[in-house]
Amino acid sequence: QVQLVESGGGLVQAGGSLRLSCAASGSIFSGNSMGWYRQAPGKQRELVAAITRDGSPSYTDSVKGRFTISRDNAKNTVYLQMNSLKPEDTAVYNCNTASCLRRGSGYGCYTGSNPYWGQGTQVTVSS
């Protein structure tokens, strides 16, 4: 059974921190790059951070230096540490697979192919 269970969201003031967790079923997690996505009201879902199966991270420009993605392969869990949060980070955050291709010394990552999504976790940043 495909499962993605996100947790750790909440209400925080600007400048604060949150740590999101995503527990994934083994069929989803094993051997795949994983990503954190977010969707704000009225906007398209975007990939904000991804991590390859060997632990190489990539980030969208708006979160670089503030967010850190990590994974625990033994626990089939991916994390997103979010620091220096801004009101524009307010969104529902989901995890799912990502597709990462080698690009120079790093990776370019894109939305993965798994069509099933968890319920997500709401992050609200007040100004």
Side-chain angles (χ1 to χ4, degrees), residues 43-88:
K43 295 188 176 181
Q44 286 192 329
R45 180 182 286 135
E46 63 169 335
L47 176 64
V48 296
I51 187 166
T52 64
R53 57 186 177 181
D54 63 354
S56 296
S58 66
Y59 303 94
T60 194
D61 286 346
S62 62
V63 307
K64 281 181 181 176
R66 300 189 298 121
F67 290 10
T68 301
I69 189 170
S70 60
R71 66 190 290 162
D72 186 334
N73 290 338
K75 296 181 178 179
N76 289 349
T77 300
V78 60
Y79 304 97
L80 187 67
Q81 177 68 43
M82 305 187 296
N83 299 328
S84 302
L85 282 161
K86 304 176 180 180
E88 51 264 44

Short mmCIF file of all heavy atoms in Angstrom, two decimals, residues 43-88:
data_model
loop_
_atom_site.label_atom_id
_atom_site.label_comp_id
_atom_site.label_asym_id
_atom_site.label_seq_id
_atom_site.Cartn_x
_atom_site.Cartn_y
_atom_site.Cartn_z
N LYS A 43 -2.30 29.02 -5.84
CA LYS A 43 -1.05 28.83 -6.57
C LYS A 43 -0.84 27.37 -6.91
O LYS A 43 -1.45 26.48 -6.31
CB LYS A 43 0.13 29.35 -5.73
CG LYS A 43 0.10 30.84 -5.49
CD LYS A 43 1.39 31.31 -4.83
CE LYS A 43 1.41 32.81 -4.67
NZ LYS A 43 2.68 33.29 -4.05
N GLN A 44 0.03 27.13 -7.86
CA GLN A 44 0.36 25.76 -8.24
C GLN A 44 1.30 25.14 -7.22
O GLN A 44 2.07 25.83 -6.55
CB GLN A 44 1.03 25.76 -9.63
CG GLN A 44 0.06 26.00 -10.77
CD GLN A 44 0.70 25.71 -12.12
OE1 GLN A 44 1.90 25.87 -12.30
NE2 GLN A 44 -0.10 25.26 -13.08
N ARG A 45 1.25 23.83 -7.14
CA ARG A 45 2.17 23.12 -6.27
C ARG A 45 3.58 23.29 -6.81
O ARG A 45 3.81 23.21 -8.03
CB ARG A 45 1.80 21.64 -6.20
CG ARG A 45 2.71 20.81 -5.31
CD ARG A 45 2.30 19.36 -5.34
NE ARG A 45 1.09 19.12 -4.60
CZ ARG A 45 0.08 18.36 -5.05
NH1 ARG A 45 0.16 17.80 -6.23
NH2 ARG A 45 -0.99 18.18 -4.31
N GLU A 46 4.55 23.51 -5.91
CA GLU A 46 5.94 23.65 -6.34
C GLU A 46 6.83 22.73 -5.50
O GLU A 46 6.58 22.48 -4.32
CB GLU A 46 6.43 25.10 -6.21
CG GLU A 46 6.44 25.64 -4.80
CD GLU A 46 7.16 26.98 -4.67
OE1 GLU A 46 8.05 27.29 -5.51
OE2 GLU A 46 6.85 27.70 -3.71
N LEU A 47 7.89 22.26 -6.14
CA LEU A 47 8.90 21.46 -5.46
C LEU A 47 9.89 22.42 -4.81
O LEU A 47 10.51 23.22 -5.50
CB LEU A 47 9.61 20.55 -6.46
CG LEU A 47 10.78 19.72 -5.94
CD1 LEU A 47 10.33 18.72 -4.90
CD2 LEU A 47 11.46 18.99 -7.11
N VAL A 48 10.03 22.35 -3.48
CA VAL A 48 10.91 23.30 -2.81
C VAL A 48 12.24 22.68 -2.41
O VAL A 48 13.24 23.40 -2.29
CB VAL A 48 10.24 23.93 -1.56
CG1 VAL A 48 9.03 24.75 -1.97
CG2 VAL A 48 9.86 22.88 -0.54
N ALA A 49 12.27 21.39 -2.20
CA ALA A 49 13.52 20.73 -1.82
C ALA A 49 13.44 19.26 -2.22
O ALA A 49 12.36 18.67 -2.17
CB ALA A 49 13.78 20.85 -0.33
N ALA A 50 14.57 18.71 -2.59
CA ALA A 50 14.62 17.30 -2.96
C ALA A 50 15.93 16.71 -2.49
O ALA A 50 16.93 17.44 -2.28
CB ALA A 50 14.46 17.12 -4.47
N ILE A 51 15.94 15.40 -2.33
CA ILE A 51 17.15 14.71 -1.90
C ILE A 51 17.23 13.38 -2.63
O ILE A 51 16.26 12.63 -2.71
CB ILE A 51 17.16 14.53 -0.36
CG1 ILE A 51 18.49 13.97 0.11
CG2 ILE A 51 15.98 13.69 0.12
CD1 ILE A 51 18.71 14.09 1.62
N THR A 52 18.40 13.12 -3.20
CA THR A 52 18.59 11.87 -3.92
C THR A 52 18.70 10.70 -2.94
O THR A 52 18.84 10.89 -1.73
CB THR A 52 19.85 11.93 -4.79
OG1 THR A 52 20.99 12.08 -3.93
CG2 THR A 52 19.79 13.10 -5.76
N ARG A 53 18.67 9.51 -3.47
CA ARG A 53 18.71 8.34 -2.59
C ARG A 53 20.05 8.24 -1.85
O ARG A 53 20.13 7.62 -0.80
CB ARG A 53 18.43 7.07 -3.37
CG ARG A 53 19.34 6.82 -4.55
CD ARG A 53 18.89 5.62 -5.34
NE ARG A 53 19.71 5.39 -6.53
CZ ARG A 53 19.51 4.41 -7.38
NH1 ARG A 53 18.52 3.56 -7.19
NH2 ARG A 53 20.29 4.27 -8.43
N ASP A 54 21.10 8.88 -2.40
CA ASP A 54 22.39 8.87 -1.71
C ASP A 54 22.61 10.13 -0.88
O ASP A 54 23.71 10.35 -0.37
CB ASP A 54 23.54 8.65 -2.68
CG ASP A 54 23.67 9.77 -3.70
OD1 ASP A 54 22.80 10.67 -3.72
OD2 ASP A 54 24.63 9.76 -4.47
N GLY A 55 21.59 10.98 -0.76
CA GLY A 55 21.64 12.10 0.17
C GLY A 55 22.05 13.44 -0.39
O GLY A 55 22.30 14.38 0.38
N SER A 56 22.11 13.60 -1.69
CA SER A 56 22.45 14.90 -2.27
C SER A 56 21.21 15.79 -2.34
O SER A 56 20.21 15.40 -2.94
CB SER A 56 23.04 14.71 -3.66
OG SER A 56 24.24 14.00 -3.60
N PRO A 57 21.27 16.99 -1.73
CA PRO A 57 20.08 17.84 -1.69
C PRO A 57 20.07 18.87 -2.82
O PRO A 57 21.11 19.22 -3.38
CB PRO A 57 20.24 18.55 -0.34
CG PRO A 57 21.72 18.71 -0.19
CD PRO A 57 22.34 17.50 -0.86
N SER A 58 18.89 19.35 -3.11
CA SER A 58 18.74 20.50 -4.00
C SER A 58 17.55 21.30 -3.51
O SER A 58 16.64 20.75 -2.88
CB SER A 58 18.55 20.07 -5.46
OG SER A 58 17.34 19.38 -5.63
N TYR A 59 17.58 22.63 -3.78
CA TYR A 59 16.57 23.53 -3.26
C TYR A 59 16.15 24.54 -4.32
O TYR A 59 16.95 24.95 -5.16
CB TYR A 59 17.12 24.31 -2.05
CG TYR A 59 17.63 23.43 -0.94
CD1 TYR A 59 18.97 23.07 -0.86
CD2 TYR A 59 16.76 22.96 0.04
CE1 TYR A 59 19.44 22.24 0.15
CE2 TYR A 59 17.22 22.13 1.07
CZ TYR A 59 18.55 21.78 1.10
OH TYR A 59 19.01 20.97 2.12
N THR A 60 14.90 24.96 -4.24
CA THR A 60 14.50 26.08 -5.05
C THR A 60 15.10 27.35 -4.46
O THR A 60 15.39 27.42 -3.25
CB THR A 60 12.96 26.17 -5.14
OG1 THR A 60 12.58 27.05 -6.17
CG2 THR A 60 12.35 26.62 -3.82
N ASP A 61 15.32 28.35 -5.29
CA ASP A 61 16.06 29.53 -4.85
C ASP A 61 15.43 30.21 -3.62
O ASP A 61 16.15 30.73 -2.76
CB ASP A 61 16.16 30.54 -5.99
CG ASP A 61 17.14 30.10 -7.06
OD1 ASP A 61 17.94 29.17 -6.80
OD2 ASP A 61 17.13 30.68 -8.16
N SER A 62 14.12 30.21 -3.54
CA SER A 62 13.45 30.96 -2.48
C SER A 62 13.69 30.38 -1.08
O SER A 62 13.43 31.07 -0.08
CB SER A 62 11.95 31.06 -2.75
OG SER A 62 11.36 29.77 -2.76
N VAL A 63 14.17 29.15 -0.99
CA VAL A 63 14.38 28.55 0.34
C VAL A 63 15.85 28.23 0.61
O VAL A 63 16.18 27.76 1.71
CB VAL A 63 13.52 27.28 0.52
CG1 VAL A 63 12.06 27.57 0.22
CG2 VAL A 63 14.04 26.12 -0.32
N LYS A 64 16.71 28.46 -0.35
CA LYS A 64 18.14 28.17 -0.15
C LYS A 64 18.67 28.94 1.04
O LYS A 64 18.40 30.13 1.20
CB LYS A 64 18.93 28.53 -1.41
CG LYS A 64 18.85 27.50 -2.52
CD LYS A 64 19.67 27.91 -3.73
CE LYS A 64 19.56 26.88 -4.85
NZ LYS A 64 20.27 27.31 -6.07
N GLY A 65 19.45 28.25 1.87
CA GLY A 65 20.02 28.87 3.04
C GLY A 65 19.09 28.90 4.24
O GLY A 65 19.52 29.23 5.35
N ARG A 66 17.82 28.56 4.05
CA ARG A 66 16.84 28.57 5.15
C ARG A 66 16.29 27.17 5.44
O ARG A 66 16.03 26.84 6.60
CB ARG A 66 15.67 29.49 4.83
CG ARG A 66 16.08 30.94 4.58
CD ARG A 66 14.87 31.85 4.48
NE ARG A 66 13.99 31.51 3.36
CZ ARG A 66 12.71 31.19 3.48
NH1 ARG A 66 12.15 31.14 4.68
NH2 ARG A 66 11.97 30.90 2.41
N PHE A 67 16.12 26.36 4.41
CA PHE A 67 15.55 25.03 4.56
C PHE A 67 16.65 23.98 4.37
O PHE A 67 17.56 24.17 3.55
CB PHE A 67 14.46 24.77 3.52
CG PHE A 67 13.18 25.55 3.72
CD1 PHE A 67 13.09 26.59 4.64
CD2 PHE A 67 12.07 25.24 2.96
CE1 PHE A 67 11.91 27.30 4.80
CE2 PHE A 67 10.88 25.93 3.12
CZ PHE A 67 10.80 26.98 4.04
N THR A 68 16.52 22.87 5.10
CA THR A 68 17.44 21.75 4.96
C THR A 68 16.64 20.46 4.87
O THR A 68 15.84 20.16 5.76
CB THR A 68 18.41 21.67 6.14
OG1 THR A 68 19.16 22.89 6.25
CG2 THR A 68 19.39 20.51 5.93
N ILE A 69 16.86 19.72 3.79
CA ILE A 69 16.19 18.44 3.62
C ILE A 69 17.15 17.32 4.01
O ILE A 69 18.36 17.42 3.78
CB ILE A 69 15.69 18.26 2.17
CG1 ILE A 69 14.79 17.02 2.05
CG2 ILE A 69 16.85 18.21 1.17
CD1 ILE A 69 14.08 16.92 0.70
N SER A 70 16.61 16.28 4.62
CA SER A 70 17.43 15.12 4.99
C SER A 70 16.54 13.88 4.93
O SER A 70 15.32 13.98 4.85
CB SER A 70 18.02 15.30 6.39
OG SER A 70 17.01 15.44 7.36
N ARG A 71 17.18 12.72 4.97
CA ARG A 71 16.43 11.47 4.93
C ARG A 71 17.08 10.44 5.82
O ARG A 71 18.31 10.45 6.00
CB ARG A 71 16.29 10.96 3.50
CG ARG A 71 17.56 10.55 2.83
CD ARG A 71 17.35 10.28 1.33
NE ARG A 71 16.57 9.07 1.10
CZ ARG A 71 15.96 8.79 -0.06
NH1 ARG A 71 16.04 9.65 -1.07
NH2 ARG A 71 15.28 7.67 -0.21
N ASP A 72 16.25 9.57 6.36
CA ASP A 72 16.71 8.43 7.16
C ASP A 72 16.23 7.18 6.43
O ASP A 72 15.05 6.82 6.52
CB ASP A 72 16.14 8.51 8.57
CG ASP A 72 16.70 7.43 9.49
OD1 ASP A 72 17.10 6.36 8.98
OD2 ASP A 72 16.72 7.64 10.70
N ASN A 73 17.11 6.55 5.71
CA ASN A 73 16.72 5.41 4.88
C ASN A 73 16.28 4.22 5.72
O ASN A 73 15.47 3.40 5.26
CB ASN A 73 17.87 5.02 3.95
CG ASN A 73 18.12 6.06 2.87
OD1 ASN A 73 17.24 6.85 2.53
ND2 ASN A 73 19.33 6.09 2.34
N ALA A 74 16.78 4.10 6.93
CA ALA A 74 16.38 2.99 7.80
C ALA A 74 14.95 3.14 8.29
O ALA A 74 14.27 2.16 8.60
CB ALA A 74 17.33 2.89 8.99
N LYS A 75 14.48 4.39 8.34
CA LYS A 75 13.13 4.67 8.84
C LYS A 75 12.16 5.04 7.72
O LYS A 75 11.00 5.37 7.99
CB LYS A 75 13.17 5.80 9.87
CG LYS A 75 13.95 5.47 11.12
CD LYS A 75 13.91 6.62 12.11
CE LYS A 75 14.66 6.28 13.39
NZ LYS A 75 14.65 7.41 14.36
N ASN A 76 12.63 5.03 6.49
CA ASN A 76 11.79 5.45 5.35
C ASN A 76 11.16 6.82 5.62
O ASN A 76 9.96 7.04 5.36
CB ASN A 76 10.68 4.42 5.08
CG ASN A 76 11.21 3.12 4.50
OD1 ASN A 76 12.38 3.04 4.10
ND2 ASN A 76 10.38 2.11 4.47
N THR A 77 11.96 7.73 6.11
CA THR A 77 11.46 9.04 6.51
C THR A 77 12.31 10.14 5.91
O THR A 77 13.54 10.03 5.85
CB THR A 77 11.45 9.16 8.04
OG1 THR A 77 10.60 8.14 8.59
CG2 THR A 77 10.90 10.52 8.48
N VAL A 78 11.64 11.19 5.48
CA VAL A 78 12.34 12.37 4.97
C VAL A 78 11.91 13.57 5.83
O VAL A 78 10.76 13.65 6.26
CB VAL A 78 12.05 12.59 3.47
CG1 VAL A 78 10.57 12.80 3.20
CG2 VAL A 78 12.86 13.74 2.91
N TYR A 79 12.84 14.45 6.06
CA TYR A 79 12.62 15.60 6.93
C TYR A 79 12.85 16.90 6.18
O TYR A 79 13.59 16.95 5.19
CB TYR A 79 13.58 15.55 8.12
CG TYR A 79 13.51 14.29 8.92
CD1 TYR A 79 14.43 13.26 8.69
CD2 TYR A 79 12.55 14.11 9.91
CE1 TYR A 79 14.37 12.08 9.42
CE2 TYR A 79 12.49 12.94 10.65
CZ TYR A 79 13.41 11.93 10.39
OH TYR A 79 13.35 10.76 11.12
N LEU A 80 12.23 17.97 6.69
CA LEU A 80 12.49 19.30 6.18
C LEU A 80 12.60 20.24 7.37
O LEU A 80 11.61 20.52 8.04
CB LEU A 80 11.39 19.78 5.23
CG LEU A 80 11.67 21.10 4.53
CD1 LEU A 80 12.84 20.95 3.54
CD2 LEU A 80 10.43 21.62 3.79
N GLN A 81 13.81 20.69 7.64
CA GLN A 81 14.05 21.69 8.67
C GLN A 81 13.90 23.06 8.05
O GLN A 81 14.60 23.39 7.08
CB GLN A 81 15.45 21.53 9.26
CG GLN A 81 15.80 22.57 10.30
CD GLN A 81 14.98 22.43 11.58
OE1 GLN A 81 14.78 21.34 12.07
NE2 GLN A 81 14.51 23.57 12.10
N MET A 82 12.98 23.84 8.59
CA MET A 82 12.69 25.16 8.02
C MET A 82 13.01 26.22 9.05
O MET A 82 12.41 26.25 10.13
CB MET A 82 11.22 25.24 7.62
CG MET A 82 10.77 24.15 6.67
SD MET A 82 9.09 24.38 6.06
CE MET A 82 8.18 24.23 7.57
N ASN A 83 13.97 27.07 8.73
CA ASN A 83 14.39 28.15 9.60
C ASN A 83 14.10 29.49 8.94
O ASN A 83 13.87 29.57 7.73
CB ASN A 83 15.88 28.04 9.91
CG ASN A 83 16.24 26.77 10.63
OD1 ASN A 83 15.45 26.22 11.41
ND2 ASN A 83 17.45 26.26 10.38
N SER A 84 14.12 30.54 9.74
CA SER A 84 13.90 31.91 9.22
C SER A 84 12.65 31.96 8.35
O SER A 84 12.66 32.51 7.25
CB SER A 84 15.12 32.38 8.43
OG SER A 84 16.29 32.35 9.23
N LEU A 85 11.58 31.41 8.86
CA LEU A 85 10.35 31.32 8.08
C LEU A 85 9.78 32.69 7.78
O LEU A 85 9.88 33.62 8.60
CB LEU A 85 9.33 30.46 8.81
CG LEU A 85 9.60 28.95 8.70
CD1 LEU A 85 8.87 28.18 9.78
CD2 LEU A 85 9.19 28.44 7.32
N LYS A 86 9.17 32.80 6.61
CA LYS A 86 8.56 34.03 6.14
C LYS A 86 7.08 33.80 5.87
O LYS A 86 6.66 32.66 5.60
CB LYS A 86 9.24 34.47 4.84
CG LYS A 86 10.74 34.64 4.94
CD LYS A 86 11.34 34.98 3.58
CE LYS A 86 12.84 35.14 3.65
NZ LYS A 86 13.44 35.47 2.34
N PRO A 87 6.28 34.84 5.90
CA PRO A 87 4.85 34.67 5.59
C PRO A 87 4.61 34.01 4.24
O PRO A 87 3.65 33.24 4.09
CB PRO A 87 4.32 36.11 5.63
CG PRO A 87 5.22 36.80 6.60
CD PRO A 87 6.58 36.21 6.37
N GLU A 88 5.48 34.25 3.27
CA GLU A 88 5.30 33.64 1.96
C GLU A 88 5.60 32.15 1.94
O GLU A 88 5.38 31.48 0.92
CB GLU A 88 6.15 34.36 0.90
CG GLU A 88 7.61 34.53 1.27
CD GLU A 88 7.91 35.90 1.88
OE1 GLU A 88 7.12 36.36 2.74
OE2 GLU A 88 8.95 36.48 1.50
#
